[in-house]
Amino acid sequence: MKAKFLRLMLLTAIVMLCICINSTAIAANRYSVAVGDWNSINTWAATSAGAAGVSAPVAGDVVFIQSGKSVTVTADAQAASITFTGAAASLTINSGFTLTLSGALKLNHNLDNATACSITGGGALVCASVDAGSYLSLNGDYSAIITSTVNSFTINGNVTLYAKASGSNYGQASFRVEEGTATVGGQITGTIDLSPCIGTVRMTTGTVQTGTLVLDGITPWGNLTNVTTTLNGTGATVIYNGSSTQTIHGTTYTNLKINTGGTATLGGPTTLSGILTMTQGSLALSTHTLAYGASASLHYNGTAPQIVSGEWPATFAKNVTISNASGVSLNENKTYNSTGLIAVSGFLNFGTHYIAGTGAFTLAPGGTLASAYVTNGEGFGNASDNTKGSIRVSGIRTLSTSGNYTLNGTGTTQNTGTNMPTVVNNLIIDNTSGVNLSQNVMVNGILALTNGLLTPGINTLTASGTITNASSSNYVNGKLAQVFGSIGSKVFPVGKG
């Protein structure tokens, strides 16, 4: 039995050794020696100056795309790595296809000239890391520039800029995202000698400048000594997309999106000229400033509840759009001074706070407002009085008759206020101290008597939809009209005392 076991172990070892030897034999170097298709044998040679005719690169192969050569990926493909060499070279990935590298994509500095490469097409490139300017000896002050316009470029690890000195010669390195989306899972960092060696991260080159840079890393920016960042291309967007807290690089952005699993904290003075989108997480200014340009605006579009933080100052003069249907809650009273407006198509929860100032306010059809404001009794405020309630702006107020309204104050009876329209979709009463109607109101959707009494007083409350949650402690304290659309019966949850 022991002899059989030993023979089995020996046979297994021999098989594993054969597999390893076979795997080593399969891995090969492939050099582009012609402009052509990735899958064509006419594109590749086994050496840099060899003759074309070897098999196309496969998983595990080390690929070199040489100067002046353009290689096009027309089917899903794999390789171990790609190194661009020479003055210029390009890689095009056609739409619908993905090129996956288990290792790095590199662009070397060359001895006697600048180097550049471009990654283009409607497809996708996935790699472990990107090295711009992988160091070689220099005979002059030369640059190494990687430019991406490919539809999707996923870098699971770091982007490293190598700008090194060789004697009295200084190499520069640049990573540019002009179009498409580049996602960095690690960090963007520099391995750079002292000035005049410079590394650059740019989104301002090219004619379109619509690139999107997504930063997934916990520390998305590494060593930026002697690295310049120009991220404010005409239509450029930078997305902080970490699973927890992240530090925002202090620079000028066109469009900036916060989608972190925790707090995004400014790491330096930051300027925004386009749209700041709050999708997830909060923004802490720390000791730094956030400056909005003349055409800048603020947008909340999350899918989970959000709380306003440092991105919306107490005094503000830019357009604010709220499309989050799960709710955006104010963190303080706001003074809004602008020729623009606050537009709510999602859910804005005032809490006990209010918005005042000279700006305009709009609730779109289907949008929702909730007010817990109880001082002076006014919930949503009065059309003729800008000193009460949650909505106090003196600009045009347009609150949709197809909107939804919630009164959820505590400790004191609320009035609905005359800013709330006389026709609404849903009306939710959630104040144990009660709510009074400030004018006639028709509820076309749901009248939810969640907590407390709803008192019409001298006004008329009409329900043409459904009434929910009525009980001996939650009911209409007075007159209630209901619309009958067909023969049948209705319950009138009314009472007195």
Side-chain angles (χ1 to χ4, degrees), residues 330 332-335 350 352-356 373 389-392:
L330 289 186
E332 61 185 352
N333 298 331
K334 303 293 184 182
T335 300
F350 287 93
T352 59
H353 305 299
Y354 62 79
I355 297 176
Y373 198 87
S390 292
I391 304 174
R392 302 184 180 189

Side-chain angles (χ1 to χ4, degrees), residues 51-390:
V54 299
S55 59
V58 295
D61 286 351
V62 177
V63 175
F64 299 87
I65 300 181
Q66 302 191 102
S67 183
K69 303 304 185 289
S70 176
V71 177
T72 302
V73 176
T74 58
D76 290 342
Q78 299 181 62
S81 64
I82 292 178
T83 300
F84 292 90
T85 64
S90 66
L91 173 66
T92 300
I93 306 171
N94 284 354
S95 181
F97 304 115
T98 299
L99 172 60
T100 303
L101 307 179
S102 58
L105 181 142
K106 300 180 180 181
L107 172 66
N108 287 338
H109 276 117
N110 269 9
L111 184 64
D112 294 317
N113 62 306
T115 59
C117 68
S118 60
I119 305 159
T120 68
L125 173 62
V126 179
C127 67
S129 61
V130 168
D131 297 345
S134 300
Y135 183 59
L136 295 175
S137 296
L138 298 169
N139 281 340
D141 298 338
Y142 296 125
S143 61
I145 302 172
I146 297 177
T147 301
S148 175
T149 61
V150 71
N151 180 60
S152 175
F153 188 2
T154 300
I155 305 157
N156 293 318
N158 296 341
V159 174
T160 304
L161 306 175
Y162 292 90
K164 305 289 285 184
S166 178
S168 61
N169 302 312
Y170 302 97
Q172 320 299 342
S174 181
F175 178 64
R176 302 178 177 180
V177 180
E178 296 181 358
E179 298 178 55
T181 298
T183 302
V184 181
Q187 62 179 209
I188 300 174
T189 188
T191 300
I192 298 172
D193 288 347
L194 297 178
S195 180
C197 290
I198 296 174
T200 61
V201 181
R202 299 190 63 177
M203 302 180 74
T204 56
T205 55
T207 57
V208 180
Q209 298 184 20
T210 56
T212 297
L213 177 61
V214 181
L215 302 173
D216 285 345
I218 296 174
T219 54
W221 300 94
N223 177 26
L224 296 183
T225 303
N226 293 324
V227 175
T228 62
T229 57
T230 52
L231 308 179
N232 57 332
T234 304
T237 300
V238 178
I239 302 175
Y240 285 84
N241 196 49
S243 59
S244 59
T245 60
Q246 285 182 300
T247 298
I248 307 298
H249 175 50
T251 187
T252 298
Y253 298 89
T254 301
N255 302 310
L256 176 62
K257 179 181 285 189
I258 307 301
N259 187 39
T260 66
T263 300
T265 303
L266 292 189
T270 301
T271 300
L272 179 81
S273 62
I275 302 172
L276 172 56
T277 302
M278 300 296 298
T279 299
Q280 180 179 254
S282 59
L283 179 62
L285 304 187
S286 185
T287 58
H288 304 294
T289 58
L290 174 62
Y292 286 85
S295 301
S297 60
L298 176 59
H299 185 192
Y300 295 88
N301 71 341
T303 57
Q306 296 176 272
I307 300 175
V308 172
S309 50
E311 73 285 344
W312 186 343
T315 300
F316 201 42
K318 303 299 176 183
N319 288 353
V320 179
T321 302
I322 297 172
S323 60
N324 184 347
S326 296
V328 174
S329 298
L330 289 186
N331 62 332
E332 61 185 352
N333 298 331
K334 303 293 184 182
T335 300
Y336 180 63
N337 298 316
S338 176
T339 56
L341 57 83
I342 298 172
V344 180
S345 59
F347 176 14
L348 174 59
N349 184 2
F350 287 93
T352 59
H353 305 299
Y354 62 79
I355 297 176
T358 58
F361 187 98
T362 294
L363 176 69
T368 300
L369 300 179
S371 172
Y373 198 87
V374 296
T375 304
N376 298 323
E378 304 296 343
F380 295 109
N382 286 337
S384 59
D385 187 345
N386 296 330
T387 65
K388 297 179 181 180
S390 292

Side-chain angles (χ1 to χ4, degrees), residues 20-34:
C20 291
I21 293 172
N22 189 50
S23 297
T24 302
I26 291 175
N29 292 344
R30 289 292 180 261
Y31 293 81
S32 65
V33 291

Side-chain angles (χ1 to χ4, degrees), residues 393-405:
V393 294
S394 60
I396 297 174
R397 287 165 289 188
T398 306
L399 276 64
S400 175
T401 57
S402 298
N404 308 301
Y405 301 85

